[in-house]
Amino acid sequence: MADVYTPLLGSEAKPQPKGRRASLVCTVENETGLTQHEWRIRKTNYFIALCSSALLGLLIAVVVNETLWYSAVGFETMDTGITTVMKILVFISTTSSFVLLFLYYDALINIQRSQGVELTAGFNFFSLYETRHLWMFIWDFFILLPQPFPLLHFTIGIPDLEHLNEPTVYTSDNMFVALMFLRVTLLPRLVAEIALKGRDMAHVMARMGNIQLDTWFVIRSLFIANFSAILWLIGTLVFSMSYLILLAERPYPHVDQLSNFDSCLWLTIITMTTVGYGDVVVQTRMGRVISTIVACLGVVTVSLIINGVVARMKMDPREQRIVDWIDRSEVRTQLRSAASRTIQTVFRTYRMNKQMLLSGSKPKRLRVHPRIRAELTSFRWAKREATAEIGDPMINMMQQVQFLAERLQRMETMMEEVHANLIPQRRTSAARPPSAQRVPSGGAAAQTEARGR
């Protein structure tokens, strides 16, 4: 079997061996010799390794910062042997993260090439721009840059609003660790990559429906399918912002309440839930900046949680029909009970009046009897509620008839349009000369003549 050139894919499709079913997923190879499926697997593996390396470096940097602080050398900016070794480990993890970052975006570019997109050769600025991954690459590059470098120490003093003569001194390690928390933004994309790993048919269906399977699409779907993953992301965000507040407030000379992580966690939760007791407040400029970011993130987080809970608590049409049927049955039961009580009351009053007539007493009128009036009033209310819940059968029937009439009208309109389009085509075919019509030849002409005889 010869190779078949596919213009849509921009490469030659290799023939499938005999006995193997053709896959619905594109298996066309590009110049690297790998298929689109293999590049997607590599892309996911590269990004998982990238996030693992970057977050591991963040954890080591936090350990370095806490070790320096609690060893009473946080302000002297002096490294010990242990902290120097850990900073070297952070540098190694960051370097490996950069290597994996380039491999990840190279896989993204090759996925586009395997789909038949013509791009600039190689991995460069132009290929990133053509695949619309340039700005994301720049963002990922800059969030991996900050790290506490070995043998690099300096301090920055930021004046306070109340004590201008006593600025808050931040060390280089403190600031670099705070900037390293930008790596937390990789977590939503990590969840999206893991959710889409090995699901090539999802990409095929998305391309057929002109839908982009990005991080936001996966996060929205996880609100309904796997809400625990979203809660895990929100918890990570809360702990990260709490530690950032601790980094901003702990070097303050007059710090009182926010010198430990518990108070910072309490402040973050109260701020993100828009409660704001006011018992714990920040006192530095950087603390106020971080608190403002926490407040904005809290509004977004609360709205996302509410939408997720509503989406998970919402009933599907089948469940809603069952609930409506139960409500209608209960309303009918209440209406029957009210009607039976009214009939029993009227009958008992009638028997009492009959006995009074036989004894020579004056009977009571049924309409003005207080018990009958009360039962009639309750019956009217029950009937009104039943009409509001179930609806008048005649009104429902008229609505259904009107709906069917509208559908028939639309069908007639569509048939008229089809008929109007067919008539010009028939006239055009009838106006063609006999020479333009196709003449059967050979055996077909003999068969046509035999059928005519």
Side-chain angles (χ1 to χ4, degrees), residues 329-350:
S329 300
E330 186 177 356
V331 168
R332 290 192 184 97
T333 303
Q334 294 177 359
L335 183 61
R336 292 192 188 98
S337 300
S340 62
R341 288 196 303 269
T342 304
I343 293 172
Q344 289 177 1
T345 303
V346 171
F347 182 72
R348 289 172 183 173
T349 307
Y350 169 75

Side-chain angles (χ1 to χ4, degrees), residues 11-14 27-36 38 114:
S11 60
E12 294 182 354
K14 290 190 175 181
T27 59
V28 177
E29 298 179 357
N30 55 7
E31 62 273 9
T32 60
L34 297 177
T35 62
Q36 183 182 150
E38 293 171 344
S114 63

Side-chain angles (χ1 to χ4, degrees), residues 126 241 246 324:
F126 298 101
M241 300 308 295
L246 179 65
D324 294 340

Side-chain angles (χ1 to χ4, degrees), residues 43 235 292:
K43 172 184 72 80
T292 304

